[in-house]
Amino acid sequence: MIMIPLHHILILSVLLFTTGVYVVISRKNAIHLLIGIELIFLSASMNFIAFSYHDPSLLQGQVFSLFIIIVAAAESSLVLAMLLQVVRHFRSIDIDKVNDPKE
Amino acid sequence: MNAYQISFYVFSFIILLCCIFIITTKNLLYAVFALLPVFLSASGIFILLNADFLAIAQIVIYVGGVVVLMIFGVMLTPPDGKKGFKVQLPSIHWRGIPTYIMMNGVLIYAVYTHFRQSAIDSHASNKSMITLKNLGAMLMTHYVLAFEIAGLLLLVVFIGVAYIGHKK
């Protein structure tokens, strides 16, 4: 029975995670940060599905992955609505300039 | 090496290329568009991993919703109060790339040493099974509380986005 080995899926998920972390810590544009966060969510979701794949009698990993997708969608829409207000207020989308709570 | 495995590695290669493109690109809109093949290939991998419903949900929510929302976000956030939108990014610091490679190396080493012998005995059957019925039954029995909380979360986010987003 030919299958995909578990560690190959985990290595792909590691690549997605490190890309997301690198984008989050190296970029200043807030929308680019959101891309990095989505990649991290995708990596976590892929990990759950990989472990669920090697345990086919239980679908717990897939249920968790479904909740991860729901939370990611909610988070992304909320962050974009907040970014609209931030841009209206600060006239900038650079997150290094959005650090004064008094303004 | 059959078609099943070859398609997994092809999807992985597409994801890897698009990840490198997202890191190195200088155009924000290109980075958002490079997210599309990442999500589509990820949903292909989900299908290969016996997660058919999640693949469909991935396409509907991410490709149909989140990426379009991000493109709207790019267009609705002008950089300095002027009309129009700016997509040019500063070029990346190449000094960060060794950190990226080392981070990859450490995590891949950890995965390789711990999961290669696969302490989890893989007894997955290769027959494709439809997960939708089992998934729905589990959501309505064991996970019904989490399911309801997720629905409540979506309602709260819906109201919150409508409140935050409108022009005061």
Side-chain angles (χ1 to χ4, degrees):
Chain A
M1 199 65 75
I2 301 169
M3 292 178 49
I4 301 162
L6 178 63
H7 62 281
H8 288 184
I9 312 169
L10 292 184
I11 284 172
L12 176 65
S13 155
V14 161
L15 287 172
L16 278 171
F17 177 75
T18 50
T19 307
V21 170
Y22 185 74
V23 167
V24 166
I25 64 179
S26 73
R27 294 294 191 166
K28 289 177 181 170
N29 192 310
I31 294 178
H32 215 142
L33 250 76
L34 202 57
I35 294 175
I37 293 172
E38 294 296 332
L39 287 179
I40 294 174
F41 273 124
L42 182 65
S43 138
S45 157
M46 193 173 286
N47 260 353
F48 274 115
I49 288 181
F51 284 111
S52 176
Y53 169 64
H54 285 265
D55 189 12
S57 58
L58 300 170
L59 291 175
Q60 294 175 355
Q62 295 195 15
V63 176
F64 267 93
S65 173
L66 192 62
F67 288 127
I68 287 175
I69 289 176
I70 292 171
V71 170
E75 173 261 351
S76 123
S77 62
L78 197 54
V79 166
L80 280 170
M82 284 162 67
L83 277 183
L84 284 188
Q85 292 301 113
V86 164
V87 167
R88 274 182 204 143
H89 194 84
F90 288 92
R91 303 274 176 214
S92 170
I93 201 171
D94 190 344
I95 52 163
D96 284 349
K97 292 176 184 159
V98 189
N99 51 8
D100 192 358
K102 281 185 298 187
E103 277 186 25
Chain B
M1 215 51 178
N2 54 359
Y4 185 69
Q5 285 179 314
I6 287 172
S7 47
F8 174 76
Y9 294 117
V10 167
F11 285 139
S12 307
F13 188 66
I14 293 172
I15 286 181
L16 183 59
L17 281 187
C18 290
C19 281
I20 292 171
F21 182 76
I22 287 174
I23 286 179
T24 56
T25 183
K26 288 170 79 172
N27 192 321
L28 181 59
L29 214 50
Y30 288 175
V32 178
F33 281 132
L35 217 50
L36 281 176
V38 170
F39 287 143
L40 286 175
S41 307
S43 88
I45 287 177
F46 288 175
I47 288 177
L48 294 180
L49 299 183
N50 269 342
D52 46 358
F53 176 69
L54 279 168
I56 303 293
Q58 176 91 6
I59 290 178
V60 168
I61 293 176
Y62 278 102
V63 180
V66 172
V67 173
V68 175
L69 208 61
M70 277 185 189
I71 294 170
F72 270 109
V74 173
M75 289 192 288
L76 289 176
T77 52
D80 40 7
K82 293 196 289 278
K83 283 272 167 65
F85 54 95
K86 186 180 136 189
V87 293
Q88 288 301 315
L89 298 166
S91 59
I92 61 169
H93 298 295
W94 292 101
R95 284 169 297 178
I97 295 295
T99 312
Y100 175 65
I101 294 171
M102 271 162 50
M103 198 155 59
N104 268 323
V106 168
L107 285 177
I108 287 176
Y109 176 74
V111 164
Y112 206 71
T113 49
H114 280 85
F115 291 103
R116 184 154 172 254
Q117 280 82 17
S118 192
I120 304 163
D121 193 20
S122 59
H123 49 270
S125 61
N126 213 3
K127 71 175 188 338
S128 65
M129 69 180 199
I130 308 291
T131 62
L132 186 53
K133 190 178 173 188
N134 295 333
L135 209 57
M138 282 174 84
L139 276 180
M140 278 297 140
T141 52
H142 283 93
Y143 298 97
V144 65
L145 181 63
F147 188 64
E148 296 292 333
I149 290 176
L152 194 65
L153 173 78
L154 284 179
L155 177 69
V156 169
V157 167
F158 180 64
I159 297 172
V161 166
Y163 177 70
I164 291 173
H166 85 284
K167 208 174 267 185
K168 292 194 180 69

XYZ file of all heavy atoms in Angstrom, chain B residues 80-144:
517
model
N -1.145 57.360 1.832
C -1.001 58.606 2.580
C -2.185 59.522 2.323
O -2.027 60.703 2.056
C 0.311 59.297 2.224
C 0.581 59.193 0.739
O -0.315 58.723 0.030
O 1.671 59.570 0.305
N -3.385 58.962 2.396
C -4.566 59.792 2.293
C -4.905 60.224 0.892
O -5.950 60.804 0.661
N -4.025 59.946 -0.061
C -4.329 60.339 -1.426
C -5.242 59.307 -2.064
O -5.513 58.252 -1.530
C -3.044 60.471 -2.239
C -2.172 61.610 -1.777
C -1.141 61.952 -2.808
C -0.085 60.878 -2.916
N 0.947 60.994 -1.910
N -5.707 59.640 -3.262
C -6.482 58.677 -4.022
C -5.543 57.613 -4.569
O -4.345 57.814 -4.721
C -7.198 59.383 -5.171
C -8.409 60.162 -4.723
C -9.642 59.280 -4.729
C -10.794 59.918 -4.012
N -11.285 61.112 -4.646
N -6.105 56.477 -4.900
C -5.295 55.429 -5.493
C -4.599 54.614 -4.423
O -4.638 54.926 -3.245
N -4.005 53.531 -4.850
C -3.375 52.651 -3.876
C -1.960 52.331 -4.315
O -1.629 52.342 -5.495
C -4.185 51.382 -3.673
C -4.487 50.635 -4.928
C -3.676 49.605 -5.335
C -5.588 50.969 -5.684
C -3.962 48.912 -6.490
C -5.868 50.283 -6.843
C -5.058 49.257 -7.240
N -1.142 52.060 -3.326
C 0.273 51.830 -3.581
C 0.565 50.369 -3.335
O 0.191 49.833 -2.292
C 1.087 52.694 -2.629
C 2.563 52.666 -2.860
C 3.213 53.567 -1.832
C 4.422 52.893 -1.268
N 4.975 53.589 -0.131
N 1.205 49.725 -4.284
C 1.499 48.313 -4.088
C 2.992 48.056 -4.017
O 3.413 46.927 -3.821
C 0.889 47.456 -5.205
C -0.609 47.492 -5.131
C 1.358 47.897 -6.549
N 3.790 49.092 -4.191
C 5.228 48.857 -4.164
C 5.720 48.695 -2.738
O 5.399 49.482 -1.866
C 5.964 50.025 -4.824
C 5.780 50.053 -6.324
C 6.272 48.786 -6.975
O 7.338 48.294 -6.650
N 5.503 48.242 -7.894
N 6.485 47.667 -2.507
C 7.042 47.424 -1.189
C 8.538 47.700 -1.241
O 9.145 47.621 -2.308
C 6.833 45.963 -0.786
C 5.411 45.482 -0.674
C 5.410 43.978 -0.604
C 4.778 46.046 0.548
N 9.140 48.021 -0.103
C 10.608 48.084 -0.106
C 11.185 46.696 -0.294
O 10.555 45.696 0.052
C 10.920 48.646 1.282
C 9.745 48.314 2.095
C 8.573 48.365 1.190
N 12.363 46.642 -0.866
C 12.954 45.324 -1.088
C 13.340 44.708 0.256
O 13.557 45.402 1.242
C 14.175 45.441 -1.978
O 15.105 46.292 -1.376
N 13.440 43.395 0.256
C 13.640 42.712 1.530
C 15.088 42.832 1.957
O 15.979 43.095 1.160
C 13.248 41.222 1.424
C 14.118 40.529 0.387
C 11.825 41.082 1.086
C 13.984 39.062 0.422
N 15.293 42.663 3.253
C 16.659 42.625 3.774
C 17.213 41.231 3.537
O 16.710 40.263 4.084
C 16.666 42.928 5.266
C 16.157 44.278 5.590
N 16.801 45.430 5.202
C 15.067 44.683 6.258
C 16.129 46.469 5.624
N 15.061 46.049 6.261
N 18.260 41.141 2.747
C 18.810 39.815 2.454
C 19.514 39.226 3.664
O 19.809 38.046 3.698
C 19.766 39.886 1.269
C 19.025 40.188 0.027
C 18.926 41.378 -0.594
C 18.222 39.276 -0.731
N 18.110 41.282 -1.685
C 17.669 39.990 -1.799
C 17.911 37.913 -0.600
C 16.842 39.413 -2.737
C 17.087 37.346 -1.532
C 16.555 38.094 -2.583
N 19.779 40.091 4.685
C 20.411 39.553 5.887
C 19.477 38.608 6.624
O 19.922 37.805 7.433
C 20.804 40.694 6.817
C 22.017 41.425 6.358
C 22.177 42.683 7.163
N 21.037 43.582 6.930
C 20.891 44.744 7.531
N 21.785 45.145 8.378
N 19.871 45.509 7.268
N 18.177 38.724 6.375
C 17.256 37.853 7.090
C 17.173 36.458 6.507
O 16.657 35.558 7.156
N 17.666 36.291 5.292
C 17.506 34.993 4.627
C 18.237 33.852 5.352
O 17.664 32.764 5.485
C 17.946 35.114 3.154
C 17.006 36.052 2.410
C 17.940 33.778 2.471
C 15.592 35.547 2.305
N 19.487 34.062 5.871
C 20.092 32.959 6.648
C 19.258 32.549 7.847
O 19.177 31.355 8.165
C 21.443 33.536 7.071
C 21.763 34.518 6.063
C 20.480 35.118 5.637
N 18.602 33.518 8.478
C 17.717 33.167 9.590
C 16.584 32.269 9.125
O 16.243 31.280 9.788
C 17.130 34.443 10.205
O 18.185 35.359 10.407
C 16.441 34.153 11.492
N 16.043 32.624 7.968
C 14.951 31.818 7.409
C 15.420 30.397 7.129
O 14.746 29.417 7.478
C 14.469 32.502 6.129
C 13.437 31.760 5.342
C 12.184 31.534 5.871
C 13.716 31.295 4.067
C 11.239 30.859 5.151
C 12.770 30.632 3.338
C 11.537 30.402 3.885
O 10.605 29.735 3.168
N 16.607 30.290 6.537
C 17.102 28.954 6.186
C 17.419 28.145 7.448
O 17.115 26.950 7.531
C 18.325 29.078 5.273
C 17.899 29.691 3.941
C 18.980 27.742 5.038
C 19.030 30.064 3.057
N 17.979 28.840 8.467
C 18.293 28.118 9.696
C 17.037 27.670 10.421
O 16.984 26.566 10.980
C 19.131 28.993 10.621
C 20.618 28.849 10.365
S 21.555 30.180 11.044
C 20.955 30.246 12.693
N 16.002 28.527 10.386
C 14.728 28.163 11.011
C 14.145 26.917 10.335
O 13.703 25.973 10.997
C 13.781 29.346 10.886
C 12.597 29.366 11.788
S 12.015 31.041 12.041
C 11.632 31.583 10.417
N 14.211 26.928 8.996
C 13.775 25.741 8.254
C 14.575 24.529 8.658
O 14.028 23.449 8.882
C 13.964 25.976 6.760
C 12.744 26.538 6.116
O 11.643 26.170 6.478
N 12.921 27.432 5.190
N 15.917 24.694 8.737
C 16.781 23.556 9.010
C 16.489 22.945 10.364
O 16.377 21.713 10.482
N 16.331 23.787 11.378
C 16.092 23.271 12.724
C 14.777 22.508 12.777
O 14.705 21.373 13.275
C 16.080 24.441 13.736
C 15.546 23.985 15.070
C 17.468 24.991 13.897
N 13.721 23.111 12.193
C 12.407 22.459 12.286
C 12.365 21.180 11.456
O 11.789 20.175 11.874
C 11.313 23.433 11.853
C 11.018 24.498 12.895
C 9.996 25.465 12.383
C 10.508 23.857 14.159
N 13.015 21.200 10.268
C 12.994 19.991 9.444
C 13.810 18.891 10.118
O 13.436 17.713 10.091
C 13.511 20.311 8.028
C 12.458 21.114 7.285
C 13.812 19.053 7.258
C 12.895 21.563 5.926
N 14.911 19.286 10.783
C 15.692 18.279 11.520
C 14.850 17.661 12.628
O 14.862 16.439 12.828
C 16.945 18.931 12.088
C 17.766 18.019 12.938
C 18.519 17.012 12.348
C 17.779 18.139 14.322
C 19.269 16.154 13.120
C 18.514 17.294 15.100
C 19.263 16.300 14.507
O 19.989 15.446 15.268
N 14.105 18.515 13.335
C 13.272 17.991 14.425
C 12.219 17.038 13.887
O 12.010 15.945 14.431
C 12.609 19.147 15.172
N 11.559 17.432 12.793
C 10.537 16.558 12.209
C 11.159 15.253 11.728
O 10.642 14.156 11.944
C 9.833 17.288 11.046
C 9.064 16.302 10.201
C 8.901 18.331 11.573
N 12.355 15.373 11.121
C 12.962 14.197 10.506
C 13.400 13.199 11.560
O 13.286 11.990 11.376
C 14.159 14.653 9.665
C 14.487 13.724 8.546
C 13.648 13.628 7.444
C 15.632 12.950 8.585
C 13.936 12.780 6.418
C 15.930 12.096 7.553
C 15.076 12.010 6.476
O 15.361 11.159 5.455
N 13.917 13.709 12.693
C 14.367 12.763 13.706
C 13.204 12.158 14.477
O 13.298 11.028 14.931
C 15.307 13.447 14.703
O 14.698 14.648 15.129
C 16.643 13.729 14.084
N 12.113 12.885 14.627
C 11.046 12.372 15.474
C 9.994 11.576 14.725
O 9.396 10.676 15.281
C 10.362 13.528 16.220
C 11.118 13.971 17.404
N 12.134 14.871 17.329
C 11.032 13.602 18.706
C 12.647 15.064 18.537
N 11.986 14.315 19.382
N 9.770 11.925 13.480
C 8.640 11.297 12.794
C 9.059 10.397 11.654
O 8.223 9.921 10.926
C 7.682 12.370 12.271
C 6.960 13.078 13.362
C 7.330 14.337 13.746
C 5.918 12.459 14.015
C 6.677 14.985 14.761
C 5.261 13.103 15.034
C 5.642 14.361 15.413
N 10.382 10.192 11.465
C 10.777 9.412 10.306
C 10.446 7.938 10.509
O 9.874 7.287 9.647
C 12.269 9.581 10.047
C 12.677 8.871 8.801
C 13.880 9.460 8.154
N 14.291 8.588 7.060
C 15.347 7.818 7.161
N 16.089 7.831 8.236
N 15.670 7.035 6.159
N 10.798 7.425 11.680
C 10.471 6.020 11.935
C 8.979 5.838 12.141
O 8.504 4.719 12.215
C 11.219 5.508 13.168
C 12.662 5.134 12.890
C 13.550 6.357 12.903
O 13.155 7.380 13.407
N 14.748 6.246 12.349
N 8.300 6.969 12.255
C 6.847 6.966 12.345
C 6.346 6.079 13.472
O 5.856 4.977 13.272
C 6.216 6.521 11.022
O 4.845 6.786 11.066
N 6.577 6.617 14.699
C 6.089 5.924 15.888
C 4.597 5.662 15.777
O 4.091 4.667 16.288
C 6.372 6.775 17.126
N 3.916 6.589 15.090
C 2.510 6.336 14.809
C 2.452 5.300 13.711
O 2.861 5.549 12.582
C 1.812 7.614 14.370
C 1.993 8.686 15.420
C 0.355 7.380 14.096
C 1.697 10.045 14.906
N 1.991 4.134 14.020
C 1.938 3.072 13.031
C 0.886 3.441 11.992
O -0.278 3.610 12.312
C 1.584 1.758 13.719
C 1.817 0.606 12.799
O 2.567 0.786 11.834
O 1.238 -0.462 13.056
N 1.358 3.573 10.759
C 0.428 4.041 9.746
C -0.444 2.880 9.295
O 0.001 1.949 8.649
C 1.197 4.619 8.566
O 2.020 3.634 8.042
N -1.693 2.947 9.690
C -2.620 1.923 9.253
C -3.738 2.542 8.435
O -4.873 2.104 8.477
C -3.181 1.173 10.457
C -3.694 2.084 11.525
N -2.889 2.543 12.539
C -4.893 2.636 11.717
C -3.596 3.331 13.319
N -4.823 3.416 12.836
N -3.372 3.627 7.733
C -4.391 4.266 6.919
C -4.692 3.387 5.716
O -3.803 2.847 5.084
C -3.914 5.628 6.455
N -5.950 3.282 5.430
C -6.302 2.513 4.243
C -6.249 3.441 3.043
O -6.522 4.630 3.132
C -7.706 1.946 4.394
O -8.618 3.002 4.530
N -5.851 2.902 1.929
C -5.667 3.746 0.758
C -6.964 3.959 0.006
O -7.022 4.717 -0.942
C -4.623 3.110 -0.163
C -3.833 4.156 -0.876
O -4.032 5.340 -0.648
N -2.951 3.738 -1.736
N -8.012 3.276 0.407
C -9.270 3.480 -0.289
C -9.814 4.866 0.061
O -9.731 5.302 1.217
C -10.272 2.380 0.071
C -10.816 2.439 1.479
C -11.874 1.359 1.603
C -12.669 1.342 2.855
N -12.268 1.905 4.038
N -10.322 5.532 -0.943
C -10.843 6.870 -0.699
C -12.178 6.745 -0.003
O -13.054 6.011 -0.446
C -11.008 7.606 -2.019
O -11.980 6.947 -2.779
N -12.290 7.447 1.115
C -13.556 7.369 1.814
C -14.182 8.758 1.873
O -13.495 9.756 1.934
C -13.375 6.792 3.209
C -12.629 7.664 4.180
S -12.527 6.808 5.733
C -12.160 8.134 6.833
N -15.497 8.782 1.860
C -16.208 10.047 1.918
C -16.305 10.448 3.387
O -16.909 9.747 4.191
C -17.612 9.903 1.309
C -17.524 9.272 -0.076
C -18.294 11.245 1.236
C -16.899 10.136 -1.103
N -15.702 11.570 3.716
C -15.693 11.956 5.121
C -16.868 12.809 5.514
O -17.034 13.097 6.682
C -14.418 12.754 5.426
O -14.439 13.934 4.627
C -13.203 11.954 5.120
N -17.670 13.218 4.536
C -18.675 14.237 4.825
C -19.707 13.753 5.842
O -20.055 14.456 6.784
C -19.360 14.647 3.522
C -20.338 15.794 3.630
C -19.682 16.969 4.290
C -20.819 16.181 2.277
N -20.140 12.489 5.660
C -21.181 11.968 6.560
C -20.652 11.846 7.991
O -21.292 12.303 8.943
C -21.636 10.605 6.042
C -22.860 10.084 6.729
C -23.262 8.758 6.117
C -24.386 8.146 6.926
N -24.673 6.783 6.493
N -19.443 11.261 8.125
C -18.876 11.113 9.465
C -18.596 12.460 10.106
O -18.796 12.652 11.305
C -17.587 10.302 9.381
C -17.846 8.901 8.928
O -18.932 8.377 9.150
N -16.872 8.302 8.271
N -18.103 13.399 9.266
C -17.775 14.726 9.797
C -19.029 15.425 10.311
O -19.028 16.019 11.400
C -17.125 15.536 8.690
C -16.128 16.605 9.060
C -15.012 15.989 9.856
C -15.566 17.211 7.807
N -20.111 15.334 9.554
C -21.351 15.957 9.991
C -21.895 15.319 11.255
O -22.357 16.008 12.163
N -21.776 13.987 11.330
C -22.253 13.316 12.547
C -21.423 13.718 13.747
O -21.959 13.950 14.840
C -22.183 11.807 12.343
N -20.093 13.857 13.544
C -19.262 14.253 14.685
C -19.547 15.689 15.104
O -19.561 16.004 16.291
C -17.783 14.108 14.326
C -17.308 12.691 14.375
S -15.651 12.550 13.793
C -14.770 12.957 15.254
N -19.784 16.557 14.110
C -20.060 17.954 14.470
C -21.365 18.083 15.237
O -21.526 18.991 16.042
C -20.137 18.813 13.214
C -18.830 19.327 12.661
C -19.090 20.150 11.431
C -18.142 20.177 13.680
N -22.308 17.194 14.961
C -23.605 17.317 15.614
C -23.693 16.526 16.904
O -24.680 16.643 17.633
C -24.707 16.844 14.662
C -25.116 17.891 13.676
S -25.804 19.302 14.506
C -25.117 20.614 13.564
N -22.696 15.688 17.210
C -22.766 14.941 18.467
C -21.660 15.342 19.434
O -21.907 16.007 20.426
C -22.680 13.436 18.195
O -21.528 13.194 17.393
C -23.894 12.947 17.462
N -20.414 14.975 19.102
C -19.338 15.208 20.063
C -18.959 16.678 20.147
O -18.614 17.177 21.199
C -18.100 14.399 19.671
C -18.208 12.966 20.017
N -18.675 12.030 19.130
C -17.927 12.310 21.164
C -18.676 10.850 19.711
N -18.219 10.984 20.950
N -18.991 17.360 18.994
C -18.439 18.708 18.953
C -19.535 19.753 18.806
O -19.299 20.811 18.245
C -17.452 18.819 17.796
C -16.292 17.891 17.949
C -16.269 16.668 17.309
C -15.225 18.239 18.757
C -15.215 15.813 17.476
C -14.171 17.392 18.932
C -14.173 16.175 18.284
O -13.125 15.336 18.455
N -20.729 19.463 19.312
C -21.828 20.380 19.041
C -21.635 21.696 19.791
O -21.978 22.772 19.284
C -23.172 19.703 19.369
C -23.295 19.414 20.839
C -24.324 20.522 18.877
